[in-house]
Amino acid sequence: MSASSSGARHDPSEQLAIAPPWPVQEDLHLHTNASDGVKSPTELVELVSTTSLRLFAITDHDTTSGLDEAEAASLKHPSIIFIPGIELSAEVEETEIHLTAHFIDRNNPELRAELAALLRDRESKAEQIVDRLRELGLPVDWEDVVANADGAIGRPHIARAMLARGYVNSIPDAFRRYLSPGRPAYLSRRKLGGIRALQLVHAAGGVATVAHPRTVPNVEEVLSALNPHGLAGIEVYAEKYGSDMIDRYSILADRFDLVKSGGSDYHANDTINEILPGMNGPPPGTVRKLYERASEMHGSDGVGYRLDESKL
């Protein structure tokens, strides 16, 4: 696989570019139908329990609504350890970024209030996108969009409604043609400033990592802006990254003293060559490193979700 094509997580023709040389025991980036995944939190935990994973994090987009169910389901499987997380949409230097956060206190009032505001804006923008599709001659029913979502409504749920109507060939096709920046039905929604996003994560006792950095064109500038404010990591082992990307982001992690994190970014879209839990992820010990960063930042009693360090 060519270096240029080794990171296309939404391209179903792409395959895992390089298999990790270690047993994949940790996945810090998983999604449920609380945001734009397909499986319920319980279903995802059941799947995780059948894989090589020992530690896993639920990181739904801008919501923590699936974490209670996921934690309860994980208690039935002593061989796996649940980590509460979230993937926050943010903006730095006029660039959209995503931050995965881990070990958060999901009941933190400051975080909950901000997430409620983001949810209201997300749903408002989704309704406006449906209106725009109708203007483009591609009507979808709002009820169908809502039926695709058990949590926060977003563009993937609209894409599924478009696919059901036969307007597109796949969910990635919907994004390529209509729902991505610069495409005719795209609308930008409210995003947190990058520093504000870090503040929310830290208020909830967690640590934050830059997710899928290949989507961040000015990643070095972003890291420079966020590093003085307590950024903890960057996803080096992610999605379908080849050795070229792994090398690039590993060098950046060393330069900025960041933990080299990662995960499958699994959504259960059932597309060709989708990376499944257990297929790709960071080396064993990554969760421990992130947890140590959280303890250093907040004190051992201040981590939002405390883990038994002997099991990491």
Side-chain angles (χ1 to χ4, degrees):
M1 179 171 295
S2 68
S4 62
S5 66
S6 59
R9 84 180 192 276
H10 291 304
D11 187 342
S13 68
E14 297 294 350
Q15 299 179 10
L16 180 60
I18 180 170
W22 49 78
V24 178
Q25 299 178 340
E26 305 180 8
D27 192 326
L28 288 153
H29 195 153
L30 295 163
H31 293 277
T32 77
N33 61 3
S35 64
D36 60 341
V38 174
K39 292 185 181 298
S40 71
T42 297
E43 290 170 336
L44 181 58
V45 170
E46 292 300 318
L47 173 61
V48 166
S49 72
T50 68
T51 71
S52 60
L53 295 175
R54 285 198 318 108
L55 302 110
F56 72 102
I58 303 295
T59 55
D60 282 316
H61 291 278
D62 299 325
T63 183
T64 60
S65 63
L67 296 181
D68 287 349
E69 180 183 336
E71 181 174 24
S74 70
L75 295 177
K76 301 175 183 178
H77 301 282
S79 63
I80 57 176
I81 298 173
F82 161 79
I83 300 166
I86 192 170
E87 184 172 359
L88 289 173
S89 303
E91 195 168 61
V92 177
E93 307 290 341
E94 299 184 349
T95 297
E96 179 175 354
I97 67 165
H98 289 182
L99 294 172
T100 50
H102 302 96
F103 322 119
I104 58 169
D105 173 9
R106 52 194 179 271
N107 295 314
N108 176 267
E110 187 177 358
L111 177 63
R112 287 172 64 91
E114 196 71 72
L115 292 181
L118 288 172
L119 176 61
R120 290 192 295 269
D121 182 76
R122 178 187 286 269
E123 293 193 356
S124 174
K125 288 299 188 296
E127 290 179 328
Q128 292 174 47
I129 290 173
V130 169
D131 291 341
R132 181 166 291 188
L133 286 171
R134 186 178 299 111
E135 294 169 359
L136 293 169
L138 303 169
V140 296
D141 291 333
W142 178 248
E143 293 75 15
D144 292 339
V145 175
V146 173
N148 287 324
D150 288 329
I153 297 171
R155 287 177 295 161
H157 307 111
I158 297 172
R160 288 170 192 149
M162 295 176 70
L163 179 62
R165 286 289 188 104
Y167 298 145
V168 293
N169 297 322
S170 65
I171 291 174
D173 185 41
F175 275 85
R176 280 193 298 266
R177 294 168 59 190
Y178 298 105
L179 301 178
S180 293
R183 300 292 90 195
Y186 176 79
L187 285 174
S188 177
R189 58 185 171 79
R190 175 176 173 264
K191 302 177 187 69
L192 298 167
I195 294 173
R196 174 58 177 157
L198 286 179
Q199 290 171 341
L200 287 172
V201 172
H202 298 158
V207 289
T209 294
V210 172
H212 39 72
R214 70 164 185 84
T215 65
V216 184
N218 57 336
V219 62
E220 293 186 42
E221 289 86 349
V222 167
L223 296 180
S224 295
L226 296 183
N227 202 45
H229 299 277
L231 182 69
I234 183 173
E235 285 190 342
V236 172
Y237 308 100
E239 311 169 30
K240 301 172 183 177
Y241 284 12
S243 57
D244 56 332
M245 290 188 178
I246 291 172
D247 289 346
R248 179 189 180 195
Y249 300 127
S250 181
I251 289 171
L252 288 176
D254 290 338
R255 183 192 306 176
F256 290 96
D257 188 29
L258 299 172
V259 175
K260 301 172 185 178
S261 186
S264 60
D265 197 2
Y266 178 65
H267 286 73
N269 284 326
D270 198 27
T271 52
I272 299 171
N273 297 326
E274 182 173 20
I275 301 302
L276 306 177
M279 289 178 62
N280 201 7
T286 299
V287 169
R288 174 180 289 279
K289 291 178 181 178
L290 281 174
Y291 194 77
E292 288 172 350
R293 292 288 179 104
S295 297
E296 290 169 5
M297 182 176 297
H298 307 300
S300 59
D301 292 334
V303 178
Y305 187 87
R306 297 178 65 183
L307 297 176
D308 181 349
E309 294 187 59
S310 69
K311 296 181 179 179
L312 302 184

Short mmCIF file of all heavy atoms in Angstrom, two decimals, residues 246-299:
data_model
loop_
_atom_site.label_atom_id
_atom_site.label_comp_id
_atom_site.label_asym_id
_atom_site.label_seq_id
_atom_site.Cartn_x
_atom_site.Cartn_y
_atom_site.Cartn_z
N ILE A 246 2.91 6.42 11.03
CA ILE A 246 3.36 6.06 12.37
C ILE A 246 4.68 6.75 12.68
O ILE A 246 4.87 7.32 13.76
CB ILE A 246 3.49 4.53 12.50
CG1 ILE A 246 2.09 3.89 12.48
CG2 ILE A 246 4.22 4.16 13.80
CD1 ILE A 246 2.11 2.38 12.42
N ASP A 247 5.61 6.73 11.73
CA ASP A 247 6.90 7.39 11.94
C ASP A 247 6.73 8.89 12.13
O ASP A 247 7.35 9.50 13.01
CB ASP A 247 7.83 7.12 10.76
CG ASP A 247 8.30 5.68 10.70
OD1 ASP A 247 8.13 4.97 11.70
OD2 ASP A 247 8.82 5.27 9.65
N ARG A 248 5.88 9.50 11.31
CA ARG A 248 5.71 10.95 11.39
C ARG A 248 5.15 11.37 12.74
O ARG A 248 5.67 12.28 13.39
CB ARG A 248 4.78 11.44 10.27
CG ARG A 248 4.55 12.95 10.33
CD ARG A 248 3.47 13.44 9.39
NE ARG A 248 3.33 14.87 9.52
CZ ARG A 248 2.29 15.56 9.06
NH1 ARG A 248 1.31 14.95 8.41
NH2 ARG A 248 2.22 16.87 9.22
N TYR A 249 4.08 10.69 13.17
CA TYR A 249 3.44 11.11 14.41
C TYR A 249 4.21 10.67 15.64
O TYR A 249 4.11 11.29 16.70
CB TYR A 249 1.99 10.62 14.43
CG TYR A 249 1.20 11.18 13.27
CD1 TYR A 249 0.48 10.36 12.42
CD2 TYR A 249 1.22 12.55 13.00
CE1 TYR A 249 -0.21 10.87 11.33
CE2 TYR A 249 0.52 13.08 11.91
CZ TYR A 249 -0.19 12.23 11.08
OH TYR A 249 -0.86 12.75 10.01
N SER A 250 5.00 9.62 15.51
CA SER A 250 5.87 9.22 16.61
C SER A 250 6.94 10.29 16.85
O SER A 250 7.26 10.61 18.01
CB SER A 250 6.52 7.87 16.29
OG SER A 250 7.34 7.45 17.35
N ILE A 251 7.48 10.83 15.78
CA ILE A 251 8.48 11.91 15.91
C ILE A 251 7.86 13.13 16.58
O ILE A 251 8.46 13.76 17.46
CB ILE A 251 9.05 12.26 14.52
CG1 ILE A 251 9.94 11.12 14.01
CG2 ILE A 251 9.85 13.56 14.57
CD1 ILE A 251 10.37 11.27 12.57
N LEU A 252 6.63 13.47 16.18
CA LEU A 252 5.95 14.61 16.79
C LEU A 252 5.66 14.34 18.27
O LEU A 252 5.78 15.24 19.11
CB LEU A 252 4.65 14.92 16.05
CG LEU A 252 4.80 15.55 14.66
CD1 LEU A 252 3.44 15.71 14.00
CD2 LEU A 252 5.50 16.90 14.76
N ALA A 253 5.27 13.11 18.59
CA ALA A 253 5.01 12.77 19.99
C ALA A 253 6.26 12.96 20.83
O ALA A 253 6.21 13.52 21.94
CB ALA A 253 4.50 11.34 20.09
N ASP A 254 7.40 12.53 20.31
CA ASP A 254 8.66 12.70 21.04
C ASP A 254 9.01 14.18 21.19
O ASP A 254 9.45 14.61 22.26
CB ASP A 254 9.79 11.97 20.31
CG ASP A 254 9.67 10.46 20.38
OD1 ASP A 254 8.98 9.96 21.30
OD2 ASP A 254 10.25 9.78 19.52
N ARG A 255 8.79 14.95 20.14
CA ARG A 255 9.14 16.36 20.19
C ARG A 255 8.33 17.11 21.24
O ARG A 255 8.86 17.98 21.95
CB ARG A 255 8.93 17.01 18.82
CG ARG A 255 9.36 18.49 18.79
CD ARG A 255 8.88 19.19 17.55
NE ARG A 255 9.27 18.53 16.33
CZ ARG A 255 8.89 18.92 15.11
NH1 ARG A 255 8.08 19.97 14.99
NH2 ARG A 255 9.29 18.28 14.04
N PHE A 256 7.05 16.76 21.35
CA PHE A 256 6.16 17.48 22.27
C PHE A 256 5.93 16.72 23.58
O PHE A 256 5.09 17.13 24.38
CB PHE A 256 4.82 17.76 21.59
CG PHE A 256 4.91 18.79 20.49
CD1 PHE A 256 5.05 18.40 19.16
CD2 PHE A 256 4.87 20.15 20.78
CE1 PHE A 256 5.13 19.33 18.14
CE2 PHE A 256 4.95 21.10 19.77
CZ PHE A 256 5.08 20.70 18.45
N ASP A 257 6.66 15.63 23.80
CA ASP A 257 6.55 14.83 25.01
C ASP A 257 5.12 14.36 25.23
O ASP A 257 4.52 14.57 26.29
CB ASP A 257 7.04 15.62 26.23
CG ASP A 257 7.13 14.76 27.49
OD1 ASP A 257 7.36 13.54 27.35
OD2 ASP A 257 6.97 15.31 28.60
N LEU A 258 4.57 13.70 24.22
CA LEU A 258 3.19 13.22 24.27
C LEU A 258 3.16 11.70 24.28
O LEU A 258 4.01 11.04 23.68
CB LEU A 258 2.41 13.73 23.05
CG LEU A 258 2.30 15.25 22.90
CD1 LEU A 258 1.67 15.60 21.57
CD2 LEU A 258 1.50 15.84 24.05
N VAL A 259 2.17 11.15 24.96
CA VAL A 259 1.97 9.71 24.96
C VAL A 259 1.50 9.29 23.56
O VAL A 259 0.64 9.93 22.96
CB VAL A 259 0.92 9.30 26.02
CG1 VAL A 259 0.63 7.80 25.93
CG2 VAL A 259 1.41 9.67 27.41
N LYS A 260 2.05 8.18 23.08
CA LYS A 260 1.71 7.66 21.74
C LYS A 260 0.51 6.74 21.87
O LYS A 260 0.64 5.56 22.16
CB LYS A 260 2.91 6.95 21.13
CG LYS A 260 4.13 7.85 20.99
CD LYS A 260 5.38 7.09 20.57
CE LYS A 260 6.60 8.00 20.56
NZ LYS A 260 7.83 7.26 20.19
N SER A 261 -0.65 7.28 21.65
CA SER A 261 -1.90 6.58 21.89
C SER A 261 -2.46 6.05 20.57
O SER A 261 -1.80 6.05 19.54
CB SER A 261 -2.90 7.52 22.58
OG SER A 261 -4.06 6.83 22.94
N GLY A 262 -3.71 5.57 20.62
CA GLY A 262 -4.35 5.10 19.39
C GLY A 262 -5.50 4.16 19.66
O GLY A 262 -5.87 3.87 20.80
N GLY A 263 -6.08 3.68 18.57
CA GLY A 263 -7.20 2.77 18.65
C GLY A 263 -7.82 2.57 17.29
O GLY A 263 -7.35 3.11 16.28
N SER A 264 -8.87 1.79 17.24
CA SER A 264 -9.46 1.40 15.96
C SER A 264 -10.42 2.44 15.39
O SER A 264 -10.72 2.41 14.20
CB SER A 264 -10.22 0.08 16.14
OG SER A 264 -11.26 0.23 17.09
N ASP A 265 -10.92 3.37 16.22
CA ASP A 265 -11.97 4.31 15.78
C ASP A 265 -13.14 3.53 15.20
O ASP A 265 -13.71 3.88 14.17
CB ASP A 265 -11.42 5.30 14.77
CG ASP A 265 -12.30 6.53 14.59
OD1 ASP A 265 -13.33 6.63 15.29
OD2 ASP A 265 -11.98 7.38 13.74
N TYR A 266 -13.52 2.47 15.88
CA TYR A 266 -14.53 1.54 15.39
C TYR A 266 -15.93 2.12 15.54
O TYR A 266 -16.31 2.62 16.60
CB TYR A 266 -14.42 0.23 16.17
CG TYR A 266 -15.43 -0.83 15.81
CD1 TYR A 266 -15.42 -1.42 14.55
CD2 TYR A 266 -16.38 -1.26 16.74
CE1 TYR A 266 -16.33 -2.42 14.23
CE2 TYR A 266 -17.28 -2.27 16.43
CZ TYR A 266 -17.25 -2.83 15.16
OH TYR A 266 -18.16 -3.82 14.84
N HIS A 267 -16.72 2.04 14.45
CA HIS A 267 -18.10 2.51 14.44
C HIS A 267 -19.10 1.38 14.12
O HIS A 267 -20.30 1.61 14.17
CB HIS A 267 -18.28 3.62 13.41
CG HIS A 267 -17.68 4.93 13.80
ND1 HIS A 267 -16.32 5.16 13.81
CD2 HIS A 267 -18.26 6.09 14.21
CE1 HIS A 267 -16.09 6.42 14.19
NE2 HIS A 267 -17.25 7.00 14.44
N ALA A 268 -18.61 0.21 13.74
CA ALA A 268 -19.48 -0.90 13.34
C ALA A 268 -20.29 -0.55 12.10
O ALA A 268 -21.46 -0.94 11.97
CB ALA A 268 -20.40 -1.34 14.48
N ASN A 269 -19.68 0.17 11.16
CA ASN A 269 -20.38 0.53 9.93
C ASN A 269 -20.52 -0.63 8.96
O ASN A 269 -21.24 -0.54 7.98
CB ASN A 269 -19.64 1.68 9.23
CG ASN A 269 -19.88 3.01 9.90
OD1 ASN A 269 -20.97 3.27 10.42
ND2 ASN A 269 -18.87 3.86 9.91
N ASP A 270 -19.78 -1.73 9.25
CA ASP A 270 -19.86 -2.93 8.42
C ASP A 270 -19.46 -2.65 6.97
O ASP A 270 -20.02 -3.22 6.04
CB ASP A 270 -21.27 -3.54 8.47
CG ASP A 270 -21.29 -5.00 8.01
OD1 ASP A 270 -20.25 -5.67 8.15
OD2 ASP A 270 -22.33 -5.44 7.50
N THR A 271 -18.50 -1.75 6.80
CA THR A 271 -17.97 -1.49 5.46
C THR A 271 -16.84 -2.47 5.16
O THR A 271 -16.27 -3.09 6.06
CB THR A 271 -17.43 -0.05 5.36
OG1 THR A 271 -16.51 0.17 6.43
CG2 THR A 271 -18.55 0.96 5.45
N ILE A 272 -16.53 -2.60 3.89
CA ILE A 272 -15.43 -3.48 3.48
C ILE A 272 -14.14 -3.01 4.13
O ILE A 272 -13.82 -1.82 4.13
CB ILE A 272 -15.29 -3.49 1.95
CG1 ILE A 272 -16.58 -4.01 1.30
CG2 ILE A 272 -14.10 -4.33 1.51
CD1 ILE A 272 -16.60 -3.86 -0.21
N ASN A 273 -13.40 -3.93 4.71
CA ASN A 273 -12.09 -3.64 5.30
C ASN A 273 -12.16 -2.76 6.54
O ASN A 273 -11.16 -2.15 6.93
CB ASN A 273 -11.13 -3.02 4.28
CG ASN A 273 -10.84 -3.95 3.13
OD1 ASN A 273 -10.78 -5.15 3.31
ND2 ASN A 273 -10.68 -3.39 1.93
N GLU A 274 -13.32 -2.67 7.20
CA GLU A 274 -13.39 -1.90 8.44
C GLU A 274 -12.46 -2.52 9.48
O GLU A 274 -12.41 -3.74 9.64
CB GLU A 274 -14.81 -1.86 8.97
CG GLU A 274 -14.94 -1.02 10.23
CD GLU A 274 -16.38 -0.83 10.69
OE1 GLU A 274 -17.25 -1.64 10.27
OE2 GLU A 274 -16.64 0.11 11.45
N ILE A 275 -11.73 -1.66 10.19
CA ILE A 275 -10.85 -2.12 11.25
C ILE A 275 -11.69 -2.46 12.47
O ILE A 275 -12.44 -1.62 12.98
CB ILE A 275 -9.80 -1.06 11.59
CG1 ILE A 275 -8.96 -0.72 10.36
CG2 ILE A 275 -8.90 -1.54 12.73
CD1 ILE A 275 -8.24 -1.90 9.75
N LEU A 276 -11.57 -3.68 12.95
CA LEU A 276 -12.38 -4.16 14.07
C LEU A 276 -11.59 -4.06 15.37
O LEU A 276 -10.35 -4.03 15.37
CB LEU A 276 -12.79 -5.61 13.83
CG LEU A 276 -13.50 -5.91 12.50
CD1 LEU A 276 -13.78 -7.41 12.38
CD2 LEU A 276 -14.78 -5.10 12.38
N PRO A 277 -12.27 -4.01 16.49
CA PRO A 277 -11.56 -4.02 17.78
C PRO A 277 -10.63 -5.23 17.87
O PRO A 277 -11.01 -6.36 17.56
CB PRO A 277 -12.70 -4.12 18.80
CG PRO A 277 -13.87 -3.50 18.11
CD PRO A 277 -13.73 -3.88 16.67
N GLY A 278 -9.41 -4.97 18.30
CA GLY A 278 -8.41 -6.02 18.41
C GLY A 278 -7.48 -6.11 17.22
O GLY A 278 -6.45 -6.80 17.29
N MET A 279 -7.80 -5.41 16.12
CA MET A 279 -6.96 -5.47 14.93
C MET A 279 -5.83 -4.44 14.96
O MET A 279 -4.75 -4.68 14.42
CB MET A 279 -7.80 -5.26 13.66
CG MET A 279 -8.72 -6.42 13.33
SD MET A 279 -9.74 -6.10 11.86
CE MET A 279 -8.49 -5.91 10.58
N ASN A 280 -6.09 -3.28 15.56
CA ASN A 280 -5.08 -2.23 15.57
C ASN A 280 -5.21 -1.42 16.84
O ASN A 280 -6.32 -1.21 17.35
CB ASN A 280 -5.25 -1.30 14.36
CG ASN A 280 -3.98 -0.53 14.06
OD1 ASN A 280 -2.94 -0.78 14.67
ND2 ASN A 280 -4.04 0.39 13.11
N GLY A 281 -4.08 -0.99 17.37
CA GLY A 281 -4.09 -0.21 18.59
C GLY A 281 -2.68 0.01 19.10
O GLY A 281 -1.71 -0.53 18.55
N PRO A 282 -2.52 0.80 20.14
CA PRO A 282 -1.19 1.13 20.66
C PRO A 282 -0.59 -0.05 21.40
O PRO A 282 -1.28 -1.02 21.72
CB PRO A 282 -1.49 2.29 21.61
CG PRO A 282 -2.86 2.00 22.12
CD PRO A 282 -3.60 1.40 20.94
N PRO A 283 0.69 0.02 21.69
CA PRO A 283 1.35 -1.09 22.38
C PRO A 283 0.86 -1.22 23.82
O PRO A 283 0.38 -0.25 24.43
CB PRO A 283 2.83 -0.71 22.33
CG PRO A 283 2.85 0.76 22.14
CD PRO A 283 1.65 1.09 21.33
N PRO A 284 0.97 -2.41 24.41
CA PRO A 284 0.62 -2.59 25.82
C PRO A 284 1.39 -1.59 26.69
O PRO A 284 2.56 -1.30 26.45
CB PRO A 284 1.06 -4.03 26.10
CG PRO A 284 0.98 -4.72 24.78
CD PRO A 284 1.40 -3.68 23.78
N GLY A 285 0.71 -1.06 27.69
CA GLY A 285 1.33 -0.07 28.57
C GLY A 285 0.93 1.35 28.26
O GLY A 285 1.25 2.27 29.03
N THR A 286 0.21 1.57 27.15
CA THR A 286 -0.19 2.92 26.79
C THR A 286 -1.20 3.49 27.77
O THR A 286 -1.11 4.66 28.17
CB THR A 286 -0.77 2.94 25.36
OG1 THR A 286 0.24 2.49 24.45
CG2 THR A 286 -1.20 4.33 24.96
N VAL A 287 -2.16 2.68 28.19
CA VAL A 287 -3.15 3.15 29.16
C VAL A 287 -2.44 3.55 30.45
O VAL A 287 -2.77 4.58 31.07
CB VAL A 287 -4.22 2.08 29.42
CG1 VAL A 287 -5.08 2.47 30.62
CG2 VAL A 287 -5.09 1.90 28.19
N ARG A 288 -1.48 2.74 30.87
CA ARG A 288 -0.73 3.08 32.09
C ARG A 288 -0.06 4.45 31.94
O ARG A 288 -0.10 5.28 32.87
CB ARG A 288 0.32 2.02 32.39
CG ARG A 288 1.25 2.38 33.56
CD ARG A 288 2.28 1.30 33.81
NE ARG A 288 1.65 0.12 34.39
CZ ARG A 288 1.36 -0.01 35.68
NH1 ARG A 288 1.63 0.97 36.53
NH2 ARG A 288 0.82 -1.10 36.13
N LYS A 289 0.55 4.71 30.79
CA LYS A 289 1.23 6.00 30.59
C LYS A 289 0.24 7.16 30.65
O LYS A 289 0.52 8.21 31.24
CB LYS A 289 1.97 5.99 29.25
CG LYS A 289 3.17 5.05 29.22
CD LYS A 289 3.82 5.06 27.83
CE LYS A 289 5.01 4.10 27.80
NZ LYS A 289 5.63 4.03 26.45
N LEU A 290 -0.91 7.00 30.02
CA LEU A 290 -1.91 8.05 30.06
C LEU A 290 -2.45 8.24 31.48
O LEU A 290 -2.69 9.38 31.93
CB LEU A 290 -3.07 7.74 29.11
CG LEU A 290 -2.82 8.02 27.63
CD1 LEU A 290 -4.00 7.53 26.80
CD2 LEU A 290 -2.59 9.51 27.38
N TYR A 291 -2.64 7.13 32.18
CA TYR A 291 -3.15 7.23 33.55
C TYR A 291 -2.13 7.92 34.46
O TYR A 291 -2.51 8.70 35.34
CB TYR A 291 -3.48 5.83 34.08
CG TYR A 291 -4.31 5.86 35.34
CD1 TYR A 291 -5.67 6.13 35.30
CD2 TYR A 291 -3.73 5.61 36.59
CE1 TYR A 291 -6.44 6.16 36.45
CE2 TYR A 291 -4.49 5.62 37.75
CZ TYR A 291 -5.84 5.90 37.67
OH TYR A 291 -6.60 5.93 38.82
N GLU A 292 -0.86 7.65 34.23
CA GLU A 292 0.18 8.33 35.00
C GLU A 292 0.16 9.82 34.72
O GLU A 292 0.36 10.64 35.64
CB GLU A 292 1.55 7.73 34.67
CG GLU A 292 1.75 6.33 35.24
CD GLU A 292 3.02 5.67 34.75
OE1 GLU A 292 3.66 6.22 33.82
OE2 GLU A 292 3.38 4.59 35.28
N ARG A 293 -0.09 10.21 33.46
CA ARG A 293 -0.21 11.63 33.15
C ARG A 293 -1.39 12.25 33.90
O ARG A 293 -1.30 13.37 34.42
CB ARG A 293 -0.39 11.83 31.64
CG ARG A 293 0.82 11.48 30.78
CD ARG A 293 1.94 12.49 30.93
NE ARG A 293 3.09 12.14 30.14
CZ ARG A 293 3.43 12.72 28.98
NH1 ARG A 293 2.67 13.68 28.48
NH2 ARG A 293 4.51 12.34 28.33
N ALA A 294 -2.50 11.52 33.94
CA ALA A 294 -3.66 12.02 34.66
C ALA A 294 -3.36 12.18 36.15
O ALA A 294 -3.76 13.18 36.77
CB ALA A 294 -4.85 11.08 34.45
N SER A 295 -2.66 11.23 36.72
CA SER A 295 -2.32 11.30 38.14
C SER A 295 -1.36 12.44 38.42
O SER A 295 -1.48 13.13 39.44
CB SER A 295 -1.72 9.97 38.61
OG SER A 295 -2.65 8.91 38.48
N GLU A 296 -0.41 12.66 37.52
CA GLU A 296 0.53 13.77 37.69
C GLU A 296 -0.20 15.11 37.62
O GLU A 296 0.11 16.05 38.36
CB GLU A 296 1.60 13.71 36.59
CG GLU A 296 2.57 12.55 36.72
CD GLU A 296 3.43 12.38 35.48
OE1 GLU A 296 3.32 13.23 34.56
OE2 GLU A 296 4.20 11.41 35.41
N MET A 297 -1.18 15.20 36.74
CA MET A 297 -1.88 16.45 36.53
C MET A 297 -2.88 16.75 37.64
O MET A 297 -2.99 17.89 38.10
CB MET A 297 -2.62 16.42 35.18
CG MET A 297 -3.35 17.70 34.83
SD MET A 297 -4.10 17.61 33.18
CE MET A 297 -2.64 17.44 32.15
N HIS A 298 -3.61 15.72 38.09
CA HIS A 298 -4.72 15.95 39.01
C HIS A 298 -4.48 15.41 40.42
O HIS A 298 -5.29 15.67 41.31
CB HIS A 298 -5.99 15.28 38.45
CG HIS A 298 -6.32 15.66 37.05
ND1 HIS A 298 -6.57 16.96 36.67
CD2 HIS A 298 -6.41 14.91 35.91
CE1 HIS A 298 -6.84 16.99 35.36
NE2 HIS A 298 -6.73 15.77 34.89
N GLY A 299 -3.38 14.67 40.62
CA GLY A 299 -3.18 13.96 41.86
C GLY A 299 -3.95 12.65 41.81
O GLY A 299 -4.97 12.54 41.11
#
